[in-house]
Amino acid sequence: MIAAALLFAVALAAQDAPAMVVVHEDETIRHEPPPHGAIGMSTAYRISDHAPQPRTMEFRKRVLHPGAAIGLHPIAHDEVYYVVSGAGDVTSDGVTERVTGGMAAYLYEGATVGIRQLGAEPLVLIITYPVARE
């Protein structure tokens, strides 16, 4: 009986959820300097911008072209840089680590962070973080 009541409550809660949004990255493409310093050029895919509010997270793909960087900046939330391909140096509070495809950097609220592309191949990143709340 308790299990049936719990299942019913979960089903009711699910009915209030917004409809799923499916986005192809080609619908989101922008060619622009990277944020936090405009160092070089990048291709940005602002994928989560196509999901209407309310949403609680941002999901972005960014390709840093050779020589490009997301400059050092303080973060007010946890953030993840996941490297799809290429190589780069990620920095958090003065500590720098090399990252390559298949690696992720989990960055913590309050840190000053940034990432720089290295080598001839573009650095392709997935970046996630919570939506800013007022």
Side-chain angles (χ1 to χ4, degrees):
M1 183 74 160
I2 294 175
L6 181 57
L7 188 58
F8 180 72
V10 169
L12 280 179
Q15 290 176 353
D16 293 335
M20 171 178 60
V21 176
V22 176
V23 178
H24 193 286
E25 68 181 21
D26 288 349
E27 299 170 16
T28 71
I29 194 168
R30 293 185 193 176
H31 301 285
E32 62 187 22
H36 310 292
I39 303 163
M41 281 302 292
S42 71
T43 304
Y45 302 86
R46 297 175 61 94
I47 295 165
S48 57
D49 286 3
H50 288 257
Q53 295 290 356
R55 66 177 192 274
T56 60
M57 63 177 284
E58 298 292 357
F59 184 90
R60 311 286 170 95
K61 178 180 174 183
R62 187 166 299 266
V63 178
L64 295 176
H65 301 189
I70 297 172
L72 291 173
H73 60 286
I75 55 175
H77 49 257
D78 288 4
E79 193 163 301
V80 176
Y81 293 168
Y82 175 77
V83 180
V84 175
S85 62
D89 279 345
V90 63
T91 300
S92 178
D93 283 342
V95 176
T96 300
E97 296 280 342
R98 180 75 33 94
V99 289
T100 59
M103 298 174 79
Y106 194 99
L107 307 165
Y108 289 92
E109 176 181 357
T112 297
V113 305
I115 190 165
R116 176 174 299 282
Q117 181 277 343
L118 298 173
E121 181 183 353
L123 176 59
V124 180
L125 302 168
I126 300 295
I127 303 168
T128 63
Y129 54 93
V131 170
R133 296 288 177 211
E134 311 250 336

